[in-house]
Amino acid sequence: MTERGNGRFRALLVDAGGTLFPDALPEAPGVREVRLRRLAALLPELERDDVARLLDELRDRMHERSSEVEQRTDADVAEVLESARPGLGGRASEVRRTLGRATGHEHPPFAGHRELLETAGELGLRRVLVSNTNWVSDEDWQEWRLASLGIDGLLDGIVTSYSLGRRKPDRAMFDRATALAGCPPHACVFMGDREDKDVEPALALGMTVIIVAIQSPPTATRAQHQVTSLRAATEALRTLQSPLTNP
């Protein structure tokens, strides 16, 4: 394995949804059924129809908040619970944890996702995930999400908007990621799929950016590199870190 720091870059910061796995596909029906069953068991004081309405309200609230930089998931969950039945607001953390668990119906990752992270490690790069999430925390990634994607041991750090309380494109997400990577922004390659939430803020900090256009066709971008598969992203990363292309 290449020693850390031998190439131009020292870290790969990588988005999750839309980059490593799809996030624009319709939710599999099994996801809702599992969550309904778990919420019904957690909140036996509610009828099943009430639990179904509660789940829909929670999903709608998260969708409404998705464009906001500040993330207050626990407070939002508590508010929805309290409106469903006074006194339920105190169960917010339990409900959030329930919604953040694996269902067994998650969409599979894009081809080449594991090879990308393995190659980054071989190139001497620290690998940090930087992801906007509704329910899934840093700890949830460690406890089940890494295994579900087959990438246990292939990340050196995780930053979720749920745990940080701020969403991309907020700089706090990127500052936390570079702190975990242990290097300045100019020593990082950022890889993501959104121009507004990934490319623009990463470029503003001086990072080199690869935009991944897998679930949508390539468009005009300010990123230095654009790819349409993770295998192509891996090759772009190899080229960027190659001593033949970097003085």
Side-chain angles (χ1 to χ4, degrees), residues 111-122:
H113 72 295
R114 182 177 176 86
E115 292 79 2
L116 169 70
L117 296 174
E118 288 176 335
T119 297
E122 292 165 3

Side-chain angles (χ1 to χ4, degrees), residues 109-171:
F110 294 129
H113 72 295
R114 182 177 176 86
E115 292 79 2
L116 169 70
L117 296 174
E118 288 176 335
T119 297
E122 292 165 3
L123 292 171
L125 302 173
R126 289 185 63 81
R127 300 151 297 185
V128 180
L129 186 91
V130 191
S131 179
N132 284 352
T133 58
N134 286 334
W135 318 111
V136 180
S137 67
D138 296 1
E139 292 76 17
D140 293 328
W141 265 94
Q142 294 285 1
E143 290 175 6
W144 70 268
R145 197 67 173 113
L146 293 177
S148 74
L149 293 172
I151 56 174
D152 270 331
L154 295 182
L155 288 176
D156 301 293
I158 295 169
V159 184
T160 65
S161 61
Y162 168 79
S163 292
L164 191 63
R166 309 290 290 181
R167 295 183 180 93
K168 290 182 296 180
D170 192 73
R171 177 169 178 163

